[in-house]
Amino acid sequence: MTETVAADRTGRAYLAGLNRRGRLEWAVAALLTLLLLRLLWSLVRNENLLLGEVVGHLLHPDVLAGVWLTVRLTALVFAMAAAIGLVVIRMERSGNPLLGGLAAAYVWVFGSIPVLVQLLLWSNIALVFPDITFAIPGVHLDAMRLVTPVYAAIAGLALAMGAYAARALPDDDRLTASGDILVTTLQATSLVSVLSITDLLGVVQALEERNHLIIPLLAVAAIWYLVLVTAARGAIHLARLARVRGQAHSR
């Protein structure tokens, strides 16, 4: 009897604790919501943001062209990075110590050097190798003409993201890992603007130099990246749901 009463009291105390914690969580959530709404309202009312310019440039032809280049660059680099990552994983699991060592060295080097530094190195590769021969007699390629900013961007991003893919893809849920690689690749493409490539950020920076609308145009870039990343994550989520339904039907 005594044990029953003690258990009942413990249960009531536990439920009371949950109720207090729930009320506290609701109070914190309400406060954060109010702060967020206040921030959004201040942005809308802020004349320095020039909201009309933001809306007016969202569908600007140059901005749309930059968005399209960003999408194409993301798709190409993602495909190359995934292929590189799978090859590296195969090398690591081959059981050959030399192949495993080469794979580990690749992941260490290209996974450690910042992507921006890799892009700058590739864009200036002609300063180190003015002639590209591939060790083939009679082959002499002018690196200055061959390695254009676009090719340097593709090489730098693909090798860097390939190292990231090699670390991410061995996870049990490769679909989720692929989604993370896709989003990371999309975000990393913004770095190619340093090579004067007219991706989304590059176009925005070019427009800034002409009309000096720094904050409105950066807001345009931020909105578009939000749209693109949300779309990528949404596509991965739909693919995951389709896989789950397919597995359920096959049982």
Side-chain angles (χ1 to χ4, degrees):
M1 183 68 177
T2 303
E3 293 179 355
T4 303
V5 172
D8 184 58
R9 289 177 179 174
T10 301
R12 288 199 299 269
Y14 177 74
L15 291 176
L18 287 179
N19 290 333
R20 286 195 298 271
R21 187 173 64 182
R23 289 194 293 270
L24 178 61
E25 289 174 350
W26 274 107
V28 172
L31 177 61
L32 292 176
T33 301
L34 289 174
L35 290 175
L36 177 59
L37 292 175
R38 181 68 180 86
L39 174 62
L40 293 175
W41 180 248
S42 65
L43 287 175
V44 172
R45 296 290 302 272
N46 195 320
E47 296 179 356
N48 296 322
L49 181 59
L50 300 176
L51 190 59
E53 295 290 350
V54 175
V55 175
H57 281 85
L58 278 174
L59 299 180
H60 189 285
D62 291 346
V63 172
L64 293 179
V67 170
W68 177 230
L69 179 57
T70 294
V71 171
R72 287 182 293 162
L73 187 60
T74 299
L76 177 59
V77 171
F78 171 73
M80 295 175 64
I84 292 172
L86 290 174
V87 170
V88 172
I89 292 171
R90 178 60 179 169
M91 292 171 63
E92 290 176 334
R93 297 177 177 177
S94 65
N96 185 300
L98 181 57
L99 288 177
L102 290 172
Y106 164 77
V107 173
W108 172 57
V109 172
F110 290 95
S112 300
I113 301 174
V115 180
L116 179 58
V117 175
Q118 295 188 49
L119 292 176
L120 294 174
L121 285 172
W122 276 102
S123 66
N124 292 285
I125 196 67
L127 299 177
V128 181
F129 300 106
D131 293 323
I132 300 176
T133 64
F134 298 108
I136 301 175
V139 174
H140 295 282
L141 301 176
D142 186 355
M144 188 65 72
R145 297 179 59 185
L146 180 63
V147 185
T148 65
V150 173
Y151 289 154
I154 293 172
L157 287 174
L159 289 171
M161 291 299 105
Y164 178 76
R167 293 195 301 265
L169 287 176
D171 292 341
D172 294 335
D173 190 353
R174 284 196 171 183
L175 185 57
T176 300
S178 297
D180 293 337
I181 296 168
L182 177 61
V183 170
T184 303
T185 301
L186 173 57
Q187 294 169 334
T189 59
S190 63
L191 297 173
V192 305
S193 60
V194 301
L195 305 183
S196 300
I197 295 176
T198 53
D199 69 314
L200 173 56
L201 185 57
V203 166
V204 163
Q205 291 174 330
L207 290 173
E208 286 175 4
E209 293 178 359
R210 296 206 300 261
N211 55 32
H212 306 291
L213 297 172
I214 298 176
I215 295 300
L217 287 169
L218 286 176
V220 168
I223 291 171
W224 269 112
Y225 280 118
L226 279 171
V227 171
L228 294 175
V229 170
T230 302
R233 287 175 173 160
I236 294 298
H237 179 67
L238 291 177
R240 190 183 299 112
L241 288 178
R243 184 184 64 180
V244 171
R245 291 174 180 173
Q247 292 173 345
H249 289 160
S250 62
R251 292 175 181 174

